[in-house]
């Protein structure tokens, strides 16, 4: 028997268990039985793009509004810089990777309606789509040609908005797990941060790993040059976790699934799954 069979069966079983727990939690709130939940970082990409436009993680404006409403009613929505500290309730930070054009167009009005802060992670070399083919390849976007990333003027409007914090997402959305030479790491991480700071007159302290991928040397450079960093591992965060390599929940999930993901029971299940798979 192939060694992958037990792993595949285990994942299928875990998926079935998770599906049942999501449904039960929706009726009973059982996922919160483990006590007060740790804090959560939500990860978004595109909001309200056409369904056939080829955007990863695209959510409708209605779903985004529903989620923002839920977290503002049931948690404290805070800037990313405050996510590792305790509040009166569970804290939630909202983040967007890639600085797509739908952030100012579709997401920002909803954030403003609920007075909800968010961090937008930017690839400075991709702002304004200077090379449309490269942009679509790096961001894995299909569909018809057209604007993908915010323009310079749109980014400046985000910079000027008090609800928005700008973070670094590497210069060109490179997979850092494949980069080992110091010159490229410097250009993609440190120089990208310096470009954002000098071009837009801001301080950049947060970093998001493209694809959630990294290697030991890349992490060392990020941690030496930024105060915070986030991945794509679906973990909640707490005061003892530190400010680097923080997990995020995919907010692309249906609302019922996302509400389950915010619970301590879900966090335990996610960690067991990752540890069992040898990830993280």
């Amino acid at each position: 028997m192939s060694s992958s069979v037990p792993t595949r069966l285990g994942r299928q079983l875990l998926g079935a268990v998770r599906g049942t727990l999501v449904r039960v939690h929706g009726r009973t709130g059982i996922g919160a039985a483990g006590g007060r939940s740790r804090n959560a970082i939500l990860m978004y990409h595109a909001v309200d793009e056409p369904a056939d436009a080829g955007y990863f993680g695209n959510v409708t404006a209605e779903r985004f509004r529903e989620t923002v409403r839920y977290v503002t009613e049931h948690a404290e929505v805070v800037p990313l810089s405050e996510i590792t500290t305790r509040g009166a309730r569970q804290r939630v930070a909202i983040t967007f990777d890639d600085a797509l054009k739908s952030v100012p167009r579709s997401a920002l009005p909803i954030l403003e309606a609920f007075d909800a802060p968010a961090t937008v992670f930017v690839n400075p070399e991709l702002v304004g789509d200077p090379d449309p083919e490269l942009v679509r390849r790096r961001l894995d976007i299909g569909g018809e040609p057209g604007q993908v990333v915010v323009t310079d003027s749109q980014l400046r409007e985000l910079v000027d908005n008090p609800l928005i914090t700008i973070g670094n997402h590497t210069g060109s959305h490179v997979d850092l797990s494949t980069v080992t030479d110091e010159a490229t790491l410097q250009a993609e991480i440190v120089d990208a941060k310096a470009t954002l700071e000098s071009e837009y007159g801001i301080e950049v302290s947060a970093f998001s790993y493209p694809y959630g991928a990294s290697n030991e040397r890349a992490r060392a450079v990020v941690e030496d040059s930024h105060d915070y960093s986030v991945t794509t591992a679906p973990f909640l965060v707490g005061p003892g976790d530190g400010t680097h390599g923080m997990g995020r929940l995919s907010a692309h999930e249906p609302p019922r699934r996302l509400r389950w993901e915010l619970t301590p029971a879900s966090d335990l299940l996610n960690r067991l799954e990752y540890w069992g798979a040898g990830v993280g």
Side-chain angles (χ1 to χ4, degrees), residues 208-273:
S208 171
Y209 291 95
Y211 317 104
S214 65
N215 57 39
E216 184 176 356
R217 184 56 195 146
R219 290 191 295 273
V221 175
V222 167
E223 293 175 18
D224 187 56
S225 54
H226 296 74
D227 296 330
Y228 309 91
S229 62
V230 295
T231 68
T232 58
F235 302 153
L236 300 179
V237 298
D241 292 342
T243 61
H244 284 288
M246 294 184 290
R248 291 185 293 174
L249 304 181
S250 171
H252 314 145
E253 302 289 349
R256 184 170 66 174
R257 170 68 180 270
L258 183 58
R259 293 173 188 178
W260 157 255
E261 295 286 350
L262 290 168
T263 69
S266 174
D267 188 47
L268 176 60
L269 194 63
N270 286 339
R271 290 174 185 271
L272 288 174
E273 181 178 13

Side-chain angles (χ1 to χ4, degrees), residues 5-217:
V5 172
T7 301
R8 185 169 64 250
L9 291 175
R11 288 177 179 170
Q12 291 173 347
L13 177 60
L14 190 60
V17 170
R18 179 180 284 113
T20 299
L21 289 172
V22 169
R23 291 191 295 273
V24 173
H25 175 69
R27 296 193 300 267
T28 68
I30 192 174
R36 174 173 171 162
S37 188
R38 292 149 65 86
N39 297 336
I41 306 172
L42 304 185
M43 175 181 61
Y44 284 98
H45 289 80
V47 176
D48 213 34
E49 291 290 353
D52 60 352
Y55 285 84
F56 169 75
N58 183 30
V59 298
T60 65
E62 291 76 14
R63 178 176 289 184
F64 182 63
R65 183 184 299 275
E66 180 179 352
T67 299
V68 175
R69 177 186 293 111
Y70 179 84
V71 295
T72 53
E73 290 177 353
H74 294 86
E76 298 178 41
V77 182
V78 300
L80 185 62
S81 59
E82 299 177 19
I83 200 62
T84 60
T85 58
R86 274 187 171 270
R89 297 184 292 174
Q90 181 183 31
R91 290 188 161 188
V92 172
I94 298 171
T95 66
F96 294 87
D97 282 1
D98 307 336
L100 302 175
K101 68 181 188 296
S102 63
V103 173
R105 184 199 66 208
S106 301
L108 184 59
I110 296 172
L111 294 171
E112 290 176 328
F114 290 93
D115 197 30
T119 298
V120 179
F121 290 104
V122 180
N123 307 104
E125 293 179 27
L126 305 187
V127 171
D129 295 0
D131 183 340
E133 182 178 347
L134 173 65
V135 169
R136 287 182 172 272
R137 185 170 66 252
R138 286 290 174 88
L139 301 186
D140 194 23
I141 295 172
E144 296 298 321
Q147 181 190 353
V148 172
V149 180
V150 293
T151 63
D152 178 75
S153 62
Q154 288 172 324
L155 181 52
R156 292 184 187 279
E157 290 175 2
L158 290 175
V159 167
D160 291 339
N161 193 300
L163 289 175
I164 301 300
T165 299
I166 300 300
N168 182 12
H169 200 34
T170 71
S172 64
H173 205 274
V174 67
D175 180 346
L176 289 174
S177 69
T178 68
V179 179
T180 56
D181 67 282
E182 293 296 323
T184 303
L185 289 173
Q186 175 76 22
E188 289 288 346
I189 299 170
V190 181
D191 293 354
K193 175 180 186 289
T195 295
L196 289 170
E197 292 180 330
S198 62
E199 287 292 323
Y200 299 99
I202 56 176
E203 180 179 351
V204 175
S205 60
F207 183 91
S208 171
Y209 291 95
Y211 317 104
S214 65
N215 57 39
E216 184 176 356
R217 184 56 195 146

